[in-house]
Amino acid sequence: MSKVNRDTTIKEYQGFVKEVYGVPNDRYFSVWDMITNVERFMMRGLKGIRKNDAQKIKINLLIGLSWFMSIMNQLHVDIEKNIWERFPYQCSYCASSPCSCKEKKVEIRQKLTVDESRRPKTLDDFQNMFEKIYPAGNRTLDHAGVHLAEEAGEFSEAILAYRGGHVDEDFRRVELEAADFFSCIMGVFNSLGVSTAEELALMFSNNCHVCHNAPCTCNFRDITEFKS
């Protein structure tokens, strides 16, 4: 049986997604298809924010996050590594913690200092790191949702550019935008006051959360018509 543990690392969660969903992803979906599903469930999560429905937010963002991990697997991106390089306990732009971009009106991206001794170990640790860099108390849930939508668009644009030209520089942009997108998902969960790892452990306690098989045996229609 495959499952996500409460103390999962990002790398372990990415491996779980590959083990459970790698086969149907390879058979049924291109990167474009998976981007569509990321956006599909992220938008449903934003609808949950509009309706003040915490459960709708959680389930849709978790499913969207798993589609996102499927893209990382197909592109062979070590997302945990890229997240840490992008956010080494500092804002990726102003290099402060907490972020001081607005107060200092930072206009040029600052150089980051990476202290490996501070590197988070678990998904919870990474979520806590983002809370320190971008405190939930400094913005509303609506604001966090708007930022997530913005980064979803930028991640999609990066994929579009790379798939159009297959240039290494564009692939690096995919990695950077993927890290930014992940940070915004953590931002929404921090605004909710919810542990992403705990919610993933509840959803994925027994293989696929729908068919409960590994690899997933949901057919194409089951997947594309799934309602949450």
Side-chain angles (χ1 to χ4, degrees):
M1 180 181 73
S2 298
K3 64 179 182 178
V4 176
N5 294 315
R6 176 65 180 77
D7 60 350
T8 187
T9 65
I10 296 174
K11 188 181 293 289
E12 287 169 345
Y13 167 49
Q14 185 173 355
F16 167 86
V17 171
K18 183 176 182 179
E19 181 178 355
V20 175
Y21 297 109
V23 171
N25 285 342
D26 288 346
R27 287 177 178 170
Y28 300 145
F29 301 105
S30 66
V31 169
W32 297 122
D33 297 326
M34 289 191 279
I35 278 285
T36 298
N37 279 294
V38 169
E39 294 177 343
R40 168 189 171 200
F41 287 101
M42 289 297 146
M43 293 308 104
R44 289 183 180 180
L46 295 181
K47 184 176 182 180
I49 292 176
R50 180 173 65 82
K51 290 182 171 291
N52 196 30
D53 184 338
Q55 185 60 26
K56 189 174 186 69
I57 299 169
K58 289 189 295 184
I59 188 171
N60 283 291
L61 292 195
L62 293 176
I63 295 172
L65 180 59
S66 293
W67 278 109
F68 168 75
M69 285 298 181
S70 294
I71 296 171
M72 296 297 94
N73 284 330
Q74 190 162 116
L75 296 179
H76 299 277
V77 172
D78 182 347
I79 187 58
E80 181 177 310
K81 172 178 176 291
N82 283 282
I83 292 166
W84 173 240
E85 291 176 351
R86 185 72 158 167
F87 300 95
Y89 256 100
Q90 300 161 55
C91 170
S92 63
Y93 202 85
C94 71
S96 297
S97 182
C99 170
S100 60
C101 287
K102 288 185 178 179
E103 293 82 355
K104 295 182 179 179
K105 297 182 180 179
V106 179
E107 296 181 358
I108 300 174
R109 191 177 293 276
Q110 302 298 298
K111 184 177 180 179
L112 301 174
T113 303
V114 180
D115 180 356
E116 285 295 333
S117 69
R118 301 190 69 194
R119 180 170 179 161
K121 293 181 173 59
T122 67
L123 175 53
D124 262 346
D125 292 339
F126 272 96
Q127 184 172 342
N128 291 335
M129 178 188 76
F130 282 115
E131 170 61 22
K132 289 181 171 61
I133 302 172
Y134 306 110
N138 291 351
R139 61 183 177 184
T140 64
L141 177 58
D142 287 354
H143 184 183
V146 169
H147 197 184
L148 174 60
E150 177 186 348
E151 292 299 338
E154 292 183 5
F155 176 61
S156 296
E157 287 176 358
I159 293 286
L160 180 64
Y162 174 67
R163 300 298 283 186
H166 298 280
V167 177
D168 288 344
E169 183 179 343
D170 289 335
F171 187 78
R172 180 55 182 155
R173 184 186 165 206
V174 169
E175 293 179 314
L176 295 174
E177 294 297 347
D180 288 350
F181 178 66
F182 183 91
S183 77
C184 287
I185 295 175
M186 294 298 99
V188 173
F189 276 100
N190 280 330
S191 291
L192 287 173
V194 170
S195 163
T196 310
E198 182 175 352
E199 295 299 326
L200 285 170
L202 290 171
M203 175 177 280
F204 296 112
S205 62
N206 181 16
N207 304 318
C208 171
H209 67 105
V210 178
C211 70
H212 300 298
N213 292 318
C216 166
T217 55
C218 296
N219 63 44
F220 183 76
R221 178 165 290 182
D222 290 337
I223 299 168
T224 57
E225 295 183 357
F226 181 79
K227 297 293 191 296
S228 55

